[in-house]
Amino acid sequence: MNDHEYKKRHIEWMENIAIDSWSVKLYRITKQESSRSMKRNDGFTQLLKQNVNQADQEGHSYNVAFVIVHEASEAIFTLINWWVEGNMLITKMYISSFESPEDYEEITNSNRAGACIWELAVISYERNAWVTDVLQHKGAIDHGIKTYLEKQYIDYI
């Protein structure tokens, strides 16, 4: 038997949220029909604020991000992604337990960091939307970003 057999998961855009001057697209990935961890809590909001504040200090961003909350088999993985300098994606990765979903441990620079096959589907979709709606957009960048933020990915893959 293959211990790593592929099983489909639900990928769902949940909502767009505002964090300070940022627009954030929020996704979830789960094996379940309903989410076990997507109830936004103060810890989640603080985590987003911490990351967008860091991005603001570093500059070169568009105040646009997408977040993936993945209820994996062993834990909850949260990937916070934002676009910088046109074509670069910055990603910060966190892990938390199902028992304490608001207790985040950053794993960005650990050997546990890396997007899985389901997270890569969201990243690929967001990459293609960013290229089409922002980088190839002929008008004002604000209009392209507005179009980008209106696009949502939902799938069962």
Side-chain angles (χ1 to χ4, degrees):
M1 181 174 150
N2 182 356
D3 289 337
H4 302 289
E5 179 182 349
Y6 180 82
K7 293 185 176 116
K8 290 184 174 186
R9 296 194 180 180
H10 298 272
I11 297 175
E12 184 178 10
W13 168 83
M14 299 301 293
E15 63 181 322
N16 284 5
I17 57 177
I19 299 290
D20 297 333
S21 63
W22 283 66
S23 296
V24 180
K25 296 166 83 170
L26 180 58
Y27 289 95
R28 78 169 175 130
I29 301 173
T30 184
K31 297 186 287 189
Q32 315 301 319
E33 286 296 322
S34 62
S35 176
R36 295 187 282 174
S37 66
M38 280 305 294
K39 295 156 192 70
R40 282 199 285 144
N41 55 51
D42 290 340
F44 182 77
T45 302
Q46 277 304 112
L47 182 68
L48 288 180
K49 283 186 178 222
Q50 167 191 330
N51 278 275
V52 300
N53 288 338
Q54 176 188 349
D56 281 340
Q57 291 173 2
E58 293 171 0
H60 311 291
S61 74
Y62 298 88
N63 291 31
V64 173
F66 66 94
V67 175
I68 303 167
V69 178
H70 184 179
E71 296 175 336
S73 297
E74 67 279 15
I76 303 165
F77 293 89
T78 301
L79 288 72
I80 302 175
N81 309 273
W82 64 91
W83 298 104
V84 298
E85 299 182 8
N87 61 359
M88 298 298 295
L89 183 66
I90 304 296
T91 300
K92 296 285 185 147
M93 298 184 73
Y94 299 86
I95 190 171
S96 57
S97 71
F98 289 106
E99 296 77 29
S100 299
E102 67 284 351
D103 294 332
Y104 298 95
E105 174 191 350
E106 184 171 1
I107 59 170
T108 303
N109 297 318
S110 76
N111 63 358
R112 296 184 292 174
C116 75
I117 56 177
W118 297 281
E119 295 156 357
L120 287 171
V122 177
I123 293 167
S124 177
Y125 175 86
E126 289 295 317
R127 176 252 178 228
N128 292 338
W130 184 258
V131 169
T132 301
D133 298 328
V134 178
L135 299 182
Q136 293 177 342
H137 182 71
K138 300 298 181 204
I141 194 163
D142 289 345
H143 184 267
I145 288 173
K146 181 180 181 297
T147 302
Y148 167 78
L149 289 168
E150 291 170 352
K151 290 193 174 170
Q152 303 128 11
Y153 182 53
I154 298 173
D155 209 341
Y156 181 65
I157 59 168

